[in-house]
Amino acid sequence: VNRFVFSAGAQYQPASFLTTRMNVGVDYRTNHQRVIEPIGFTPGTVTGELTRFQREFASVSLDVAGTLTTQFADGISSDLTVGAQGFRNEESIVTSNGRDFALPGAPDFDEAAVITSSEANEELFKGGFYVQEEIGIARRLYLKAGYRLDASTTFGDDVGFQGFPKVGVSYILSEEGFFRRAMGRWADELKLRVAYGRTGNQPEPFLRDRTFAAISFRGESAPAPDNPGNTDLRAEVTSTLEAGVDVALLGNRLGLSLTRYGSTTTDALFFVPEQPATGLSTQLRNVGEITNKGTELEVHALVLSTPQVQWSVGLR
C-alpha cells in the first residue's frame, strides 16, 4: 500500500469585519495484492494459481468560505458565512486470475493457460454552496440558521440540486446575574442548546441506469444483464433534532455535555430482489424509513496543566 496525503490552507483578512479562508486536500492511494499458490500447493488445483488485485484511488477536495462580522448596538452581533465545497473522486480497480502453470517457481500471468480479468472505473464529483447566519444577543442568546445546496454526478447528466436547511438556538444561562450569584462559585458556564438539520446520502454512481456487461462465454464476448436500473432512484434524507446542555466546572477543569437526539431517515436505500422471472438480481430502491434515538454523555477533565505539560482525559 502506497499513500500520499497533502493538505494546505490559507486565511486572508482584507478588513477587520471580513475573513476569508481556503483549504485544499489531496489523497492518493495505490493498493497491490498478489497471491501465488504454487504447483501442488492446494489439492484440486495441482497446476497452481495466481491472483492479483490492483486499486488506484485519488481524491481532491476544495473548501472556500468568507465570513462577514458586524457589531450592532445593544450587544447584537452578526456572523454571515458564505462558502462552497467540492470533492472529486477517481477510482480504478483491476482484478486478474491465472491458473494452470507448466513449471514451478514464481510465475507471471503470461505463463498461465487460463487467464481471466475484470476492470472497474469510477469518477464522481460532489459539491455544494452554503450560507449561514449566526446572530448573537448580549453574549447570551445565539440564533443560527443555514441552508446548503448539494449536487452530485451520481445520476450522470441529471445532476440537480438538493437543499438542506438547519436552524439552532443556544442560550448561555451562566451569563445571567442570578446564575452568578447562586451558582458562580462552582459552575463556570452553563449553556442550553437545541438544533434541527437535514442531510442527504447519495447512492453509488450508475445505479439509476440500466446497464449490461460483456462477459466471456465459450471463448466469445457475450452481453449479459448487469444493473436493472431505477429511474426513480434518489438520495435518502435524514432529519435530526437534538437538545442538550453543556456545563463547565471547577475553573473550567471539568466539562460535562449531555445530548438527547432523534433522527429519521426517509427514502432509505436498500437492495431489493427483482422478480426471478426477469433473470436479474437486486436493485437499489428508496423503500425504507429508519428511526434512530439516543442520549450521549461526554465528560472531559483537565488533569494536569503546567507551562510545560497539559494532560486531559475524556469519556463518551
Side-chain angles (χ1 to χ4, degrees), residues 3-301:
R3 186 173 186 181
F4 171 77
V5 180
F6 169 81
S7 63
Q11 183 172 313
Y12 177 57
Q13 190 171 4
S16 60
F17 57 85
L18 180 61
T19 302
T20 61
R21 72 171 189 272
M22 180 179 68
N23 296 299
V24 179
V26 177
D27 186 359
Y28 178 75
R29 285 170 282 174
T30 60
N31 299 16
H32 299 274
Q33 181 177 342
R34 182 182 173 95
V35 180
I36 300 176
E37 296 185 7
I39 294 177
F41 179 79
T42 303
T45 57
V46 295
T47 54
E49 186 173 358
L50 171 62
T51 303
R52 181 168 181 174
F53 171 84
Q54 179 174 333
R55 176 179 182 262
E56 294 187 9
F57 175 82
S59 176
V60 180
S61 62
L62 175 65
D63 182 6
V64 180
T67 301
L68 178 65
T69 301
T70 307
Q71 296 290 338
F72 299 98
D74 301 327
I76 298 177
S77 63
S78 170
D79 289 327
L80 177 63
T81 301
V82 179
Q85 291 179 328
F87 306 87
R88 178 180 176 84
N89 297 336
E90 295 184 9
E91 184 179 32
S92 176
I93 297 176
V94 177
T95 303
S96 304
N97 178 269
R99 57 184 176 86
D100 296 347
F101 293 94
L103 299 174
D108 296 323
F109 279 105
D110 56 357
E111 302 176 23
V114 180
I115 301 175
T116 58
S117 62
S118 62
E119 181 179 6
N121 298 281
E122 180 180 299
E123 295 181 7
L124 179 64
F125 176 82
K126 296 186 291 184
F129 303 92
Y130 62 91
V131 57
Q132 177 179 291
E133 170 67 24
E134 184 174 355
I135 298 177
I137 302 175
R139 295 187 301 181
R140 293 172 174 80
L141 181 63
Y142 293 89
L143 310 175
K144 182 183 296 185
Y147 194 79
R148 182 184 180 96
L149 284 175
D150 279 348
S152 171
T153 59
T154 293
F155 301 131
D157 295 334
D158 186 14
V159 175
F161 281 89
Q162 191 169 13
F164 302 106
K166 67 175 182 179
V167 293
V169 179
S170 62
Y171 177 50
I172 304 179
L173 184 62
S174 55
E175 290 293 327
E176 299 292 348
F178 68 86
F179 183 91
R180 291 293 183 185
R181 291 188 297 268
M183 308 179 68
R185 292 184 177 181
W186 59 276
D188 303 288
E189 183 178 275
L190 175 62
K191 180 171 71 174
L192 308 176
R193 51 184 168 79
V194 61
Y196 170 82
R198 298 179 65 190
T199 186
N201 180 36
Q202 299 281 356
E204 290 295 317
F206 313 123
L207 293 183
R208 174 185 282 189
D209 304 322
R210 172 170 292 184
T211 58
F212 296 87
I215 62 175
S216 177
F217 182 73
R218 294 187 176 181
E220 300 289 340
S221 180
D226 188 15
N227 184 60
N230 178 14
T231 56
D232 296 326
L233 192 64
R234 55 194 178 275
E236 61 182 14
V237 178
T238 300
S239 302
T240 303
L241 176 65
E242 67 173 40
V245 57
D246 301 322
V247 183
L249 308 170
L250 306 177
N252 290 316
R253 300 182 69 92
L254 179 63
L256 303 175
S257 179
L258 180 65
T259 303
R260 176 67 179 176
Y261 65 89
S263 65
T264 301
T265 300
T266 57
D267 293 331
L269 296 167
F270 288 95
F271 280 97
V272 179
E274 295 291 318
Q275 292 293 333
T278 64
L280 304 175
S281 56
T282 60
Q283 169 61 46
L284 192 65
R285 299 186 182 276
N286 301 94
V287 296
E289 181 173 312
I290 304 173
T291 300
N292 183 24
K293 298 180 180 180
T295 302
E296 290 184 354
L297 174 64
E298 294 186 42
V299 181
H300 300 276

